[in-house]
Amino acid sequence: MVANHTSLPPVLGIIGGSGIYDIEGLSDVRWEAVNTPFGAPSDELMFGMLDGQQIVFLPRHGRGHRVPPSELNFRANIDAMKRAGVTEIVSHFGGRFPERGFAAGTFVIVDQFIDRTFARVKAFFETGLVAHVSMADPVCGRLGRPSG
């Protein structure tokens, strides 16, 4: 029997950007290696609790910034989060948008994006498995929905 995903407590996954290698303030912290069929993720996952919320953290470039952007194994990173029970992922982006009026430190959740990456695999599905994933709404509406 498959568990009803909506009845389980959420597990927040956080993927840290450049210079973010851990999260201060977590309790019950442990680092754990997670194997995936896509290879190794950027680093071990850090598990912990923050104000009653289960958190799983992954430093995108590995602790010590040892994985360059061109070698990030995004499939292994996302698969490792899924295997760790993560239900939502927030990823840090260190860029700024001064032309849009956002001050440094502003927290923004996008609801649409254009993927301009190239020269890398773009899907989790390979030969022998055909799947169609809509990109009409690529971001979780629950995370992006205004509160109130």
Side-chain angles (χ1 to χ4, degrees):
M1 176 180 214
V2 176
N4 180 353
H5 176 72
T6 58
S7 67
L8 299 173
V11 177
L12 180 62
I14 300 173
I15 300 177
S18 297
I20 302 175
Y21 307 117
D22 64 12
I23 298 178
E24 293 181 21
L26 294 185
S27 61
D28 303 322
V29 173
R30 75 181 193 286
W31 287 90
E32 186 177 315
V34 177
N35 296 317
T36 83
F38 301 103
S42 298
D43 204 329
E44 294 179 329
L45 301 180
M46 182 171 87
F47 294 78
M49 296 293 290
L50 182 64
D51 294 331
Q53 172 64 56
Q54 187 175 353
I55 304 287
V56 180
F57 172 76
L58 174 66
R60 177 183 288 120
H61 297 285
R63 287 171 282 180
H65 204 87
R66 55 182 169 45
V67 182
S70 61
E71 294 181 18
L72 288 173
N73 188 343
F74 78 91
R75 297 191 305 174
N77 288 349
I78 299 300
D79 189 76
M81 289 286 205
K82 177 74 172 171
R83 290 173 188 277
V86 168
T87 57
E88 280 83 24
I89 294 177
V90 175
S91 181
H92 174 265
F93 167 67
R96 290 189 56 209
F97 300 102
E99 70 280 0
R100 300 282 185 201
F102 294 114
T106 301
F107 190 83
V108 176
I109 297 178
V110 299
D111 61 1
Q112 290 289 325
F113 60 87
I114 297 171
D115 183 358
R116 293 193 156 179
T117 56
F118 61 93
R120 71 169 168 119
V121 64
K122 294 183 184 236
F124 287 87
F125 310 107
E126 297 177 340
T127 304
L129 177 62
V130 176
H132 301 280
V133 178
S134 172
M135 289 298 288
D137 296 303
V139 179
C140 173
R142 184 172 27 165
L143 288 176
R145 190 172 32 248
S147 60

